[in-house]
Amino acid sequence: MAGPAETASVVAAHKDATSPLNAAGPLRAMWGRKVTNDSLELLLVGSRDRLSIRPADDDAWQGVAPAAVELLVDQATAERGTPWPQPLVSHYSRYFRDGNRTAYEALVGARQQRLTRAVVMAALRGDTTEWLDEVIDGAYLLCEQSSWSWAAHDDVFAVSGEVVPDPDRPFLDLGAGEVAAQLAWIDQVLGERLDRRAPGLRRRMRYETHCRVIQPFVDRFDWHWLGFDGDVHNWNPWIHSNIIAAALLLVDDPQLQAHTISRCIEGLDRFLASIPDDGAIDEGFAYWWNGAGRALEGLAILDEASGGVLSADAPVVRAMVSFPHRMHLGGRWFLNVADGPARAADGLPWDMLYRAAIRVGDVHAAQHAEAFVRDHVDSKAGLGRVLHSLLQPVPGPPAAKSPQPPLAAFSYLPSVQIMVARQRSGSAHGLTLTAKGGHNGEHHNHRDVGSVVVALDGVPLLVDAGQPTYTAQTFGPDRYQIRAMQSSWHNVPAPFGLEQGTGVEYGATVIEEPTGAAPTLTLGLGTAYGFAQAEQWIRTAALNREDGSIVIGDRWELPTSANSQTRQPDVAIAYLIAGTLQLSDDGIATVWSEGIPGVACIPGHSRGLRLRWKPGTAVVHVDEWILDDPLLQDIWGKKLTRLRFRSPSATSATGEFSVIMEATNEQ
């Protein structure tokens, strides 16, 4: 967090029209004076009535499909009358004491999910008091909750050494934004009923939101997620989109409302300006939903609230919409870079992506999203997303026709140096190769420059482990002591046993860009390990569609001075494997999907991934990683296996090694 002097300089620069902080991004370039405070104040008159989320008495609620809420109804009915989840200071303080953040976050999440279910039940069941009372209790508990911030984000300990949240110094983070937006949507859907049943509650909701979110937002310019320092990440659109909802529905002063919305537009503009032309998100598919996806939601609300005046059909928006389907491997499997699971989480708002794709005219993105839209809502998505899913459902496909994802044959995103190449267009059957360059200063970075992921029939078998459970260590100085973040446990080389470095300077150089006709990505990786030249280690990842093979080739010419007594005298090349590994003595290994949760592997019928290399060119080592983290276990099962090839030619610091991969039915 910036100090007082730094904050003052940011405020002064922000007020200076010539400051780079006020450089027009895509939104202000499109909207110009439409988003000044005075213009917004007029434009937002009556905005509440233009939102697609309607009050519970509106006819729109009569169209909610019973199947969409069946699971929610069952869960809400079972929990009504039981004690509410109660986060305590002992849970909050654990983050500062032992680094555990899930003890607190799980409880606040459970509380908000229960409230989401109660809101839907109250809206669907008419003016019945039992469900309305459930909503009133849940909303009041949020108002009484000492902090809306998650402990892992609060700076109370850093500022004062205390482990109890300070209500006089609220910290505006993701958690606070989520609570404010939830209260806002409650007010929109059930406001009049709350006035009749619990007079004063809406005033309390407005008061708490003003003190904890709106006032800190408009008063302070030193929130790190604003991105004034150029580091714009997913917090920016996630918080801004939630504040937009809160300002529209819980701020009654027109001037303050317009000013708050103007600041949010400015913040979203800063995020969109940071997105490269190809729409790539360096945080990966999983974080897209709470970064770019949140920006799309904020833009959609602005579009509705303004009656279409603030419509954002900019090239960068269209590019962002295309990112998820370009990362698709098959089924629920996606390329996972940085902190993210390889399998799509439950409760993702695919309908939001579908609507965004329709708005920008991206047929493939709409087709992909439609294939994943579920027939029921999940309260883990959050109240705003649940309400949009119920009241803006994706039109069902024609009878007996199931929508299929497009499964593009080839994608390449030059800004992050990521290639996804498929053996067959429109089908997950066969091989899919992904290769990544990039650098180790990316958001949520793993030291994964040069990594490859290989899927067979849509299931990744050469994998990136992905995100383990977050703790204090995850974003602290010891982050890279976590195995899942280390280059030695990614599908990359280890010259002289070195780990890759951390920072933008530790990156790859593209030597040969891939094309759809020739999906081959050649990278110089030397600088990722601190060598003077990228070409001191060259990796080529190629998919040959004609013969159904993938070749990962490495060649190196390393400085002998780097081989000191503190480093290993040879090189190693690692591949991280999910499922079951069978290793032969003749330069062949086969990987089967057996053991991966939710993936059927039928002996004699399932296919495996065969790896071949020239016998005698490397010493082979097998290391098992027994998984004890619940998030990793959920994705990969009991273990991951590292196959390491140590090259005997490394004593001369020069060598080459290749692995050929292909599908096989042989057991």
Side-chain angles (χ1 to χ4, degrees):
M1 188 66 67
E6 295 169 290
T7 303
S9 66
V10 169
V11 173
H14 185 270
K15 292 179 179 178
D16 178 3
T18 65
S19 168
L21 297 182
N22 288 315
L27 298 182
R28 281 182 289 180
M30 285 188 300
W31 297 339
R33 294 198 57 79
K34 296 176 184 176
V35 292
T36 63
N37 286 7
D38 291 342
S39 297
L40 282 172
E41 189 174 338
L42 294 174
L43 189 60
L44 295 176
V45 173
S47 60
R48 191 179 193 117
D49 295 331
R50 294 190 286 268
L51 298 179
S52 58
I53 301 304
R54 306 308 308 141
D57 295 330
D58 192 277
D59 290 342
W61 281 93
Q62 303 304 313
V64 172
V69 295
E70 183 177 0
L71 296 178
L72 182 149
V73 169
D74 291 344
Q75 190 169 1
T77 302
E79 67 195 0
R80 187 165 62 85
T82 65
W84 280 79
Q86 182 59 58
L88 303 172
V89 70
S90 58
H91 305 127
Y92 198 88
S93 62
R94 279 201 63 179
Y95 178 79
F96 309 108
R97 291 171 175 163
D98 62 16
N100 181 296
R101 57 185 288 174
T102 56
Y104 182 77
E105 290 175 22
L107 285 167
V108 296
R111 172 183 277 183
Q112 289 180 249
Q113 290 166 31
R114 175 168 171 172
L115 179 55
T116 289
R117 293 187 285 269
V119 171
V120 174
M121 294 297 292
L124 291 174
R125 293 293 188 262
D127 206 4
T128 54
T129 58
E130 60 266 25
W131 288 113
L132 200 56
D133 283 347
E134 179 89 343
V135 173
I136 291 166
D137 288 343
Y140 190 75
L141 282 172
L142 290 182
C143 292
E144 287 286 290
Q145 194 170 293
S146 291
S147 174
W148 290 353
S149 168
W150 298 337
H153 301 156
D154 199 339
D155 64 353
V156 61
F157 184 78
V159 170
S160 66
E162 298 174 348
V163 298
V164 176
D166 182 355
D168 293 328
R169 195 175 182 277
F171 194 90
L172 180 47
D173 75 328
L174 303 175
E178 282 289 288
V179 174
Q182 185 171 32
L183 294 178
W185 293 121
I186 290 172
D187 193 85
Q188 171 72 347
V189 173
L190 298 171
E192 292 185 2
R193 296 184 186 180
L194 295 178
D195 278 341
R196 292 194 294 269
R197 183 68 176 169
L201 178 60
R202 295 178 76 192
R203 179 173 57 81
R204 177 68 183 275
M205 289 160 54
R206 281 162 168 73
Y207 172 79
E208 296 295 343
T209 300
H210 178 83
C211 294
R212 301 174 190 239
V213 173
I214 302 299
Q215 201 66 54
F217 175 64
V218 299
D219 281 353
R220 293 178 58 176
F221 290 81
D222 60 341
W223 300 112
H224 70 86
W225 46 267
L226 292 173
F228 285 134
D229 60 356
D231 182 19
V232 189
H233 50 80
N234 72 300
W235 282 40
N236 175 300
W238 192 345
I239 297 175
H240 280 116
S241 65
N242 279 330
I243 294 177
I244 288 171
L248 286 173
L249 299 170
L250 296 178
V251 175
D252 298 325
D253 179 345
Q255 291 184 333
L256 178 59
Q257 181 186 73
H259 178 57
T260 304
I261 297 292
S262 177
R263 284 279 307 277
C264 288
I265 291 171
E266 173 196 305
L268 288 177
D269 213 11
R270 199 174 301 115
F271 174 77
L272 294 178
S274 74
I275 303 297
D277 292 342
D278 57 20
I281 304 298
D282 65 359
E283 294 168 298
F285 167 82
Y287 267 89
W288 183 94
W289 297 94
N290 283 326
R294 296 289 183 176
L296 294 175
E297 289 173 321
L299 294 174
I301 296 173
L302 290 172
D303 192 348
E304 290 181 356
S306 67
V309 174
L310 302 181
S311 178
D313 186 17
V316 67
V317 176
R318 294 193 292 272
M320 287 194 314
V321 166
S322 72
F323 180 78
H325 83 83
R326 299 177 77 177
M327 298 296 103
H328 191 201
L329 300 178
R332 291 177 60 203
W333 298 99
F334 288 79
L335 172 62
N336 60 316
V337 299
D339 282 341
R343 193 176 64 230
D346 294 331
L348 294 178
W350 291 100
D351 57 290
M352 174 274 291
L353 177 54
Y354 176 85
R355 290 189 294 271
I358 293 298
R359 282 197 302 272
V360 302
D362 189 327
V363 175
H364 293 299
Q367 179 186 350
H368 180 258
E370 184 182 15
F372 282 88
V373 171
R374 305 174 71 178
D375 59 2
H376 62 274
V377 295
D378 189 325
S379 55
K380 291 194 293 291
L383 179 57
R385 287 177 164 179
V386 165
L387 294 174
H388 280 94
S389 296
L390 293 177
L391 298 179
Q392 290 185 298
V394 173
K401 183 179 180 183
S402 176
Q404 298 296 318
L407 294 167
F410 173 79
S411 292
Y412 180 61
L413 302 173
S415 68
V416 287
Q417 302 170 356
I418 288 179
M419 175 185 76
V420 180
R422 201 180 312 278
Q423 194 172 345
R424 295 178 178 85
S425 177
S427 173
H429 187 76
L431 296 171
T432 300
L433 167 67
T434 79
K436 176 191 181 298
H439 59 77
N440 285 330
E442 295 162 341
H443 295 113
H444 291 269
N445 170 252
H446 291 200
R447 290 170 170 163
D448 60 356
V449 173
S451 185
V452 297
V453 168
V454 175
L456 176 63
D457 300 336
V459 178
L461 297 177
L462 267 61
V463 307
D464 183 315
Q467 176 206 333
T469 301
Y470 282 168
T471 67
Q473 184 182 6
T474 307
F475 300 106
D478 297 329
R479 173 179 175 85
Y480 293 102
Q481 291 183 16
I482 300 171
R483 180 176 288 184
M485 281 68 163
Q486 297 170 356
S487 63
S488 57
W489 286 89
H490 282 79
N491 299 325
V492 300
F496 303 131
L498 289 172
E499 271 281 310
Q500 293 182 4
T502 304
V504 295
E505 66 273 27
Y506 295 96
T509 297
V510 176
I511 296 173
E512 178 187 359
E513 279 201 348
T515 65
T520 299
L521 177 61
T522 301
L523 300 168
L525 305 181
T527 45
Y529 300 89
F531 300 141
Q533 298 177 1
E535 292 79 4
Q536 288 174 285
W537 192 289
I538 296 177
R539 164 162 282 193
T540 299
L543 170 66
N544 188 322
R545 294 192 178 99
E546 292 183 3
D547 66 8
S549 69
I550 289 170
V551 179
I552 310 298
D554 291 284
R555 63 184 189 274
W556 58 91
E557 189 170 344
L558 302 175
T560 55
S561 60
N563 187 3
S564 69
Q565 293 181 350
T566 61
R567 295 168 181 169
Q568 297 175 7
D570 55 11
V571 304
I573 298 169
Y575 292 102
L576 192 63
I577 291 166
T580 302
L581 173 68
Q582 293 179 338
L583 185 61
S584 304
D585 295 330
D586 54 355
I588 294 177
T590 308
V591 184
W592 306 93
S593 60
E594 182 180 8
I596 301 177
V599 178
C601 183
I602 305 172
H605 298 278
S606 298
R607 301 204 301 167
L609 180 68
R610 183 167 63 191
L611 284 63
R612 296 189 289 113
W613 60 95
K614 186 177 180 180
T617 56
V619 178
V620 181
H621 298 264
V622 176
D623 309 303
E624 287 194 344
W625 177 1
I626 304 302
L627 301 177
D628 58 3
D629 182 279
L631 293 186
L632 296 180
Q633 284 181 336
D634 179 61
I635 303 297
W636 304 121
K638 296 180 179 179
K639 67 177 182 178
L640 291 169
T641 304
R642 182 174 63 176
L643 190 61
R644 283 188 301 141
F645 299 97
R646 292 178 59 193
S647 175
S649 64
T651 53
S652 64
T654 301
E656 59 182 29
F657 182 77
S658 294
V659 177
I660 301 171
M661 306 176 193
E662 55 206 354
T664 180
N665 291 86
E666 298 176 6
Q667 292 287 331

